[in-house]
Amino acid sequence: MHPRSIRSTLAALAAVLLSAVVPASPSLGLPVEIVADASPSADAFPLVTASSVAPLWYDAADWPGVVRVVGDLQADIERVTSRKPKASAERPSAPAVVIVGTLGKSAAIDALVAAGKLDASDLRGKWESFVITTVVQPLPGVERALVIAGSDKRGTIYGIYELSEQLGVSPWYWWADVPPKKRSAAYVLPGRYASGEPVVRYRGIFINDERPCLTEWTKEKFGGLNSKFYTKVYELLLRLRANYLWPAMWDNAFNEDDPLNPKLADEYGIVMGTSHHEPLDRSQKEWTHNHQKYGNGEWNYVTNKEGLTQFWADGLKRNGKYENILTMGMRGDGDMAMPDAGGMEANKKLLERIITDQRSLIAQHVNPAPTKVPQIWALFSEVQRYYDAGLRVPDDITVLFADSNVGDLRRLPTAEELRQRSGGFGIYYHIDMHGGPYAYQWINTNPFWKISEQMTLAAEYGATRLWIVNVGDLKPLELPIEFFLRMAWNPAALGKDQVADYTRRWAEREFGPEHAAEIADVVARFTKYNGWRKPEVVTPATFSTLHYYEADRVEAAWLDVVAKAEKIYAALPAEQRDAFFQLVLHPAKASATVAQINIWAGRNQLFAKQGRASTNAAADRVRELFRQDRALTNTYNRELAGGKWNHLMDQSHIGMHTWEPPVVDVMPSVAEVLLDDVARVGVSIEGDLSAWPDHYGDAVLPTFDSFHPRRSFVDVFAVGARPIEFTIRAEQPWIVLTKAKTALGDDRHWVEIDWAKLPTGVANGEITVTGTSVPVTVKVVAKKASDEQLAAAKGRFASLDGPVAFAATAATRRTEVGGVRWETLPDYGRLDAALAIYPVTAASILPPNPAPTLEYPVYLPRDGNYEVTLVLGPVMDFVPGRGMRIAVSFDDQPAQVLDLFAERGGPPFGNRLAGMDAARDNVRFLRSSHKLATAGAHLLKLTMVDPAIVVQKIVVDPVRRPAGLFGPRPPESYFGPPDCLTVK
Amino acid sequence: MHPRSIRSTLAALAAVLLSAVVPASPSLGLPVEIVADASPSADAFPLVTASSVAPLWYDAADWPGVVRVVGDLQADIERVTSRKPKASAERPSAPAVVIVGTLGKSAAIDALVAAGKLDASDLRGKWESFVITTVVQPLPGVERALVIAGSDKRGTIYGIYELSEQLGVSPWYWWADVPPKKRSAAYVLPGRYASGEPVVRYRGIFINDERPCLTEWTKEKFGGLNSKFYTKVYELLLRLRANYLWPAMWDNAFNEDDPLNPKLADEYGIVMGTSHHEPLDRSQKEWTHNHQKYGNGEWNYVTNKEGLTQFWADGLKRNGKYENILTMGMRGDGDMAMPDAGGMEANKKLLERIITDQRSLIAQHVNPAPTKVPQIWALFSEVQRYYDAGLRVPDDITVLFADSNVGDLRRLPTAEELRQRSGGFGIYYHIDMHGGPYAYQWINTNPFWKISEQMTLAAEYGATRLWIVNVGDLKPLELPIEFFLRMAWNPAALGKDQVADYTRRWAEREFGPEHAAEIADVVARFTKYNGWRKPEVVTPATFSTLHYYEADRVEAAWLDVVAKAEKIYAALPAEQRDAFFQLVLHPAKASATVAQINIWAGRNQLFAKQGRASTNAAADRVRELFRQDRALTNTYNRELAGGKWNHLMDQSHIGMHTWEPPVVDVMPSVAEVLLDDVARVGVSIEGDLSAWPDHYGDAVLPTFDSFHPRRSFVDVFAVGARPIEFTIRAEQPWIVLTKAKTALGDDRHWVEIDWAKLPTGVANGEITVTGTSVPVTVKVVAKKASDEQLAAAKGRFASLDGPVAFAATAATRRTEVGGVRWETLPDYGRLDAALAIYPVTAASILPPNPAPTLEYPVYLPRDGNYEVTLVLGPVMDFVPGRGMRIAVSFDDQPAQVLDLFAERGGPPFGNRLAGMDAARDNVRFLRSSHKLATAGAHLLKLTMVDPAIVVQKIVVDPVRRPAGLFGPRPPESYFGPPDCLTVK
């Protein structure tokens, strides 16, 4: 077991035990509820009662940031109770007093500790920790005190905001209009509530790619990205127990745009950084604006060392006094690769020299001991290549690994690297992207389970010095921002098994208990569906209009979640609706609308190919939905909260054709037909884009299989403008037709098999449609299992024809080896859940060594070659020198070891970004071929090789065409064949 | 030299000499004009004068088909002169008599021969020959006779119709409403006009794939494909000197649908056949209707030999008495491959047995000597594979080779095969296709030069026993049908150098001399443009909207030909308009409309990507043009000739998505945008689909090159609903901006270089657009040649940047070796002309043996690797065992031999059909790489290896990316870089 995993496994265990024994908390910080409306016991602290409001007492010598937050607490208490407590550095005279202070900065706190009335053991020398506790008779004349004591500046601040959140002020009260909970009284329960230290030292966000939304919004509301705006961000971060910020730098220069920006950040308690390619606290725009003052003006260390040195020195002189994390190294101008210095070795040497020189600057301008100044070095693109080729920087520098831009970690530290690097490792993560493989900047597309799964890897592999997440315009990514930051505080508390509960607790905090479960379900579902494929890359071809009713099923899923959200919206009190709209209803409905636009455009394309008169109506649906998308945008911008968020929904999101967002939203292209004034009948069937009688080939319905009975259909439609007349007839009594209508009114005839009327074996039948220019015969093939086949297939995933598909979690047996085991990842991916190996740091095991195995009994109709397709998570090969492997076997055949990254070096994985397909699909595929000597019962086994691989689904298909390990998935369907259950 | 080519080269020479010395003919049969309105000399024959009409005299014992055509002549004379001659088997009493008869069947003709008054030397024993001559005092009491004498039935018929055509009755008088020429008098000039024998013995058409057009039309006008319809076809064929027909067989059974069909065919003089897969005169539908009466009803010689034998015997008993050509062998049911009999050898044996048995049936039911009955055996798909594998059939059977379905011959006989096969070889050709690689059934897409080039190969390589052409619904393929049949009579008279004159003569025959040259030009151009790419496979992506103004140029070319056609239409007398509309104006305008629909849809897609507000207006243009297409169809069907041709333009032709025609016409999908109520400015440039300021990358215009000055452009457009304001400025004085508007009113700024203001070398400049959200800088790079460069490039195809492209015909030198030479193919292909080797049967020459060579002096700006792309004709590897090769070299480097079919066996050429790309593009590409050690002057040489390869264009491009011999052409443009001239 990896050393760090012991610690966090224990922490996870503790979290589980804790949540099982204490009441649910309205805060997402502490796991317990510490505020009550009425005093449950005499020793509860009366913060606000009918007759009293406890005054707030702080030390004037405490951190200004702490003093400032006392004011926030004062306001928060008033927000909740409509009663404003006094707040003062003077000792108040009241029987119940709230004492707020930082150990070593607050005389009152220090006195309580000295008097033995406050245990400071979990504060002294701790990072960002706090204790909230009641002390009886803390001081003469004071009966009872509520003490909020911090180990340091942010410890105290977090403690204060914890009380605010417990009282009912959401961290998002301003940023998402969450109304404070109303209380007539508030008591703090007796007890001692200690935060402990955060697992990740620096936890922050990167406001990035701020045009158009944030730029236009801040221009309208604040006059720019100035301190009026940034203090709103600082407060939010502190309420979320974050401490770190990379400011907007696309069109903006944080330190120059408003000199109060860095000053107030420091005062508030925010550690400032610059993005991964902006060294020594100077933003790119500062260079753009001022480069002509520095040497020859070139961003090139070979030709302009002196200019760059001066530029950086000026920055350090300006900002060195603040709490900063300094970005080290250098890339080319504008986040591009540096000019080649003459090959790999020369480039490495140059970069080493740059960092050495930068350290000297730090020693000169910030701290004579540069190792005392936190520094990061980001491994990005060509810089990661230098690192892989052996380039090393001083051990105290935190090395920052990045994800694939779509949320999959590309690299994690090895145990050896961890041992060697005192500065540790950090993660730069994306929940918003303007760049390759494609931009997603519009809406919340980040399921919690995805962040949980990947950041659990980061934590367990020890990359815990710093986590920073790219949040684009900040809004509307409220949910994943908080999840990411909460997880940074304690990753083990937001592992796979806590995600569902977290979501419900989040919903309860924001909207109260009544609808919390339903709201959590809506949130889980709209993010899950966006996790299938982000709206920006859904196209009319994404979901199959031909097979498995796929487009219909996807549309129905979306419509269901929207209906649920709309019902909740209607049921909520008016004051909660703005928050619910922006956090839940809008992203659900807007995402659904984009899915529907594309699905209807896909239907339009299909109908056009089939010559359906309803082609034009399908095009009109696309137009209506496109207008609905715009209407939703307008509501968000102009009506929500009285226009408070105008422009924050300006991002174009339909019609992407490169990695960039489209210039404007472009409706998917639709086909149109001109109807002839004739009564002309067309026929189409499930699974075929042809129309008869025009098409030359036969009309053959998908084969019916008695192992998983399903219905198919024959559509009959007008091709011309006139109404049609036709007859449809099943030629055999075992073919059952049921009349229905499609959404646009075409005739749909459901086809089912009356299995009781069929003998076992293969039956061939026909459905005849007349009224067409020549009669159309639709062929029906049905395969019915014999008693012997039924007996042999019992308890197995069985097929008489075509593929068998089943969920990974349907394994009938999971074996554990030495504590290493397959566990369920709830909600993960395309199905209800997936499976992965725990602990995630387990050592790799190659066959034939015993390893945790999954067993799937199958029944296959004939001997011969079969292809197994594994639908896997899009996890990357983050362990250097190793792929991402799993072993597949049938029965006692030798296991085949498959590697998602077998073709390292070649496209599409060579650039170590997610391959384009995986990045769009959010899955990876592995295929293997197996020769089975017999028909009937077999046992399919999946055996662990590397941990972290996630198995979602398995498809076993007779080989019909040349299959390759990396061949594209069958093109006809996004999700593939539906899963079946075992035969009963 | 190939043996047959000597003969036809002499014939071609004779034809050229003849056409040079005699007046142009109004007939496309005889090369001389034999009818005059007034008597130019006393010895002209007075057919119709103010005072007399010469009676027609035939022998009652002559062929009924001849007697029938005398009636046609009678009617034709009346059509022209409004005077109806008497026609009788009784000897008329008149001073001037027309004597019509067949040698050996007409007593009068035989008597004239016996009396030495008619020279029968070119009739006796000849095939389908005739003589037209005047005889003085042929009989007592007759002063003068016009004698039309035939060597056989069709010889006489052709002679009669030749007179009709000379009088001014077009063979298409009924089929295309060509009004007969009006004459008050008609004299036949003295002289002896002999047809000679046709080069191709059987010349015919295949009416095929007759749904929807022909089926619906014949249903409405004739009540089906009965003898009322077919006699119209027979007459047409005979007027065109054809003799052979494969009847419609998709939904029809010629012999059963109307028993008069075969009887009248024989009487008229038409030799009937069945299509390539319908053996022994029985159509596929006859089997469909009757198969249950025959054995087990299976179309399988292994399981149902007896049934099939009886089926075939019944057919021979029924039709054996008529003049037929019997199709031999067998394919599977419905033109599919036969069921496998157990591998190649077994399949070959089975097919041999089938043919042996079929020969026995012929001996039994038709002729005891089956070698006397003409038979064909078609090499198609799997049958050709058997043939290639050595399967042989009796030598007297004519082996029928097919084209690629898009007009390129797949196979021609070798000299050895010709020697061995007494039955010779025939060609099955397509000018209409329902099948792979794609269907084209709508309109005339067949340039004469294409038929001329390919059928010249057929003739020169000796495949002259039989030519049959698939004509779909017959109309609207009037032009290529006649060209094909005329060429079958005498291929050498319609070689590459006669095509232009033929077209003009055709126009003159149909519409008189006044507009003939212009009409010929319109015909040549609309078919040429359809030869670039058939309308069915033009898509919005075909012609580049980005590069070289390609889409604009294509649209302009089409609009120009339509304008010309409309001007002629307006100028023509009313009675000629129906014919002109259907033969010229409609196909020109309808084809242009499809091109425009796609070009505008392409612009719509581009504009949408650029966010232009004009996106919607572009979509509306597509809709208007789509309606225009339908209006043209309706005019053809409902208004043309009073509705005479209703349904013949029913064929769908827009929106093909497989090889099949679409169910209905589908408008290309168009994108739409919703305009925001803002004034937002976008900028785009030539060659880039991006729009600025949104796009991340730089805006850089295509590099300007002083060797071929050109203009480029910057477009500035509204992105929102409001009018925009902006300024555009050239930052350097040598950049010249000129304001204009695009077709939809966006601002276009032409960019040109004032070369006089520039020094030599590379200049960098900028154009700035302000008024955008951030200013947009468009970069301008201009390269100006120095005096030294100019001197070095003189007389050369030169470039300072990028590719040099030039027409093959621009070669500065063509060498000839032993009479083998590069000759110009006028009008061929994408440019004004192309080059090919003559004689086409020349032996291959491999380097370093001297071979005919083309020289192109080039000037290239730097040393390094260059790629040469040859744009070639789509000719196939019709010589077995040999590819299609040409050699390329620079200077004294060894020649590289390139082979269009180097990858025989692999896709896309493996199936021996044209590869899909070649079939759509009507070109093939060859690429070669060359390393040049020096910049500056070089000599590019193309050297013949195999004849028949056609060179259209050459592109020399610096290598920028991995290039492969068979790599797709650069995707960005259909035609590639424009051709340049040599530097002066």
Side-chain angles (χ1 to χ4, degrees), chain A residues 211 251 334-336 434 604-605 608-611 623 626-627 630 638 657-660 662-676 680 689-691 693-697 719 773-774, chain B residues 211 251 334-336 434 604-605 608-611 623 626-627 630 634 638 657-660 662-676 680 689-691 693-697 719 774:
Chain A
R211 205 172 49 197
D251 274 339
D335 202 6
M336 308 296 277
H434 179 85
N604 165 266
Q605 296 296 324
K609 289 182 174 77
Q610 295 174 336
R623 290 188 187 98
F626 189 56
R627 284 185 175 78
R630 184 59 53 91
R638 298 177 197 167
H657 64 95
T658 66
W659 66 265
E660 291 182 305
V663 177
V664 296
D665 290 320
V666 178
M667 193 185 85
S669 296
V670 289
E672 298 174 27
V673 295
L674 290 170
L675 302 187
D676 280 322
R680 182 175 160 199
L689 53 74
S690 306
D694 288 64
H695 180 52
Y696 183 76
V719 173
S773 62
V774 295
Chain B
R211 202 172 53 198
D251 275 339
D335 203 6
M336 307 296 276
H434 180 85
N604 165 265
Q605 297 295 324
K609 290 183 173 78
Q610 295 175 337
R623 291 187 185 98
F626 189 56
R627 284 186 175 78
R630 184 60 51 91
N634 290 341
R638 298 175 197 168
H657 64 96
T658 66
W659 65 264
E660 290 182 306
V663 178
V664 296
D665 289 321
V666 178
M667 193 185 85
S669 294
V670 289
E672 299 174 26
V673 294
L674 289 171
L675 302 187
D676 280 322
R680 181 175 161 199
L689 52 74
S690 306
D694 288 63
H695 180 52
Y696 184 75
V719 174
V774 295

Side-chain angles (χ1 to χ4, degrees), chain A residues 75-90:
Chain A
D76 287 345
I77 291 169
E78 188 182 13
R79 284 182 180 111
V80 171
T81 63
S82 306
R83 311 270 293 279
K84 187 174 182 179
K86 287 185 183 136
S88 170
E90 304 297 313

